[in-house]
């Protein structure tokens, strides 16, 4: 029996995942969490094999899903974490996978794909949504053209409308470092402006 913890701030989503997963004879839902902090707390207790982790939680949670994943997987003997989210940009997938997530699935995945991903995660095997797997493969094929996690983070904030000064304050970087990141981003994307960089990155699925 694979024991599951569902971590998502939307009750309807948790209910939907529970309904799908409980139809599988080898799954047991042992806990639910509405905040990332509660997910970390519950995952630390014995009796959880796989955590189904959303990435974005509401204002009641100070952590996001990637941060919670890192906190969970840092412990010895920790359960596996399978991210189940609506976001598939590099800005979302890279931090989650770097934090230790075993798999990354989208919420519109068919029930059978979700079940297979849970079983793969429980066995320690990776399970990735096709769109995520394709982009990770492309990053491996053309590493020189791939945005780093930090560059993706910087560009995501630029896309949100932040100035260089605001980006530097948010990320605790100097403005010179932010400008350097943007120069590298422009080169990699083949553009010459912030607006064009954001448009190109969104078109490639690098940021939301």
């Amino acid at each position: 029996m694979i024991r599951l913890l569902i971590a998502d701030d939307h009750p309807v989503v948790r209910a939907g995942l529970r309904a799908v997963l409980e139809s599988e004879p080898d799954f047991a839902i042992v806990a639910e969490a509405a905040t990332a902090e509660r997910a970390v707390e519950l995952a630390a207790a014995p009796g959880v094999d796989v955590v189904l982790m959303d990435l974005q939680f509401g204002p009641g949670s100070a952590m996001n899903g990637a941060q919670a994943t890192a906190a969970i997987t840092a412990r010895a003997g920790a359960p596996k974490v399978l991210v189940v989210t609506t976001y598939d940009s590099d800005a979302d997938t890279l931090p989650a996978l770097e934090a230790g997530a075993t798999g990354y699935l989208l919420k519109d995945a068919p029930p059978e794909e979700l079940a297979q991903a849970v079983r793969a995660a429980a066995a320690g095997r990776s399970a990735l949504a096709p769109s995520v797997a394709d982009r990770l493969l492309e990053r491996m094929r053309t590493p020189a053209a791939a945005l780093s996690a930090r560059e993706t983070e910087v560009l995501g904030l630029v896309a949100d409308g932040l100035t260089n000064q605001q980006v530097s304050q948010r990320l605790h970087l100097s403005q010179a470092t932010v400008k350097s990141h943007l120069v590298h981003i422009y080169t990699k994307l083949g553009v010459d402006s912030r607006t064009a960089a954001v448009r190109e990155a969104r078109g490639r699925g690098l940021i939301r």
Side-chain angles (χ1 to χ4, degrees):
M1 187 66 69
I2 301 173
R3 300 162 297 182
L4 307 176
L5 161 61
I6 300 174
D8 195 292
D9 62 331
H10 292 96
V12 172
V13 173
R14 294 199 305 273
L17 287 173
R18 175 181 281 274
V20 169
L21 296 168
E22 283 186 333
S23 66
E24 300 293 330
D26 53 336
F27 294 167
I29 313 299
V30 296
E32 295 184 13
T35 66
E37 289 85 354
R38 182 60 175 158
V40 173
E41 180 183 343
L42 291 171
V48 177
D49 299 310
V50 177
V51 180
L52 281 78
M53 178 70 71
D54 193 13
L55 282 186
Q56 299 298 323
F57 290 81
S61 182
M63 303 174 74
N64 60 33
Q67 292 167 330
T69 297
I72 290 170
T73 58
R75 297 191 177 102
K80 305 299 183 184
V81 176
L82 172 64
V83 171
V84 182
T85 184
T86 56
Y87 307 111
D88 69 343
S89 72
D90 281 9
D92 300 297
T93 58
L94 294 179
L97 295 174
E98 289 174 354
T102 302
Y104 197 108
L105 211 61
L106 302 181
K107 287 181 178 177
D108 62 358
E112 60 272 17
E113 186 176 332
L114 176 60
Q116 290 172 0
V118 169
R119 293 187 183 100
R125 302 192 308 272
S126 62
L128 300 173
S131 61
V132 174
D134 288 346
R135 278 209 309 281
L136 288 177
L137 185 59
E138 184 62 27
R139 289 178 68 86
M140 294 175 62
R141 286 173 175 161
T142 56
L147 298 186
S148 68
R150 178 62 91 182
E151 289 166 349
T152 301
E153 191 174 21
V154 167
L155 189 54
L157 293 176
V158 169
D160 289 339
L162 274 66
T163 65
N164 285 5
Q165 181 180 3
Q166 291 169 327
V167 172
S168 71
Q169 292 170 344
R170 179 75 64 86
L171 300 180
H172 306 291
L173 301 171
S174 70
Q175 289 193 55
T177 300
V178 172
K179 290 179 181 178
S180 177
H181 282 312
L182 287 172
V183 169
H184 293 150
I185 289 167
Y186 294 170
T187 300
K188 290 179 179 180
L189 297 181
V191 299
D192 57 6
S193 71
R194 298 161 72 92
T195 302
V198 170
R199 182 173 59 249
E200 181 69 16
R202 282 180 171 155
R204 296 189 192 185
L206 305 181
I207 59 174
R208 289 184 216 155

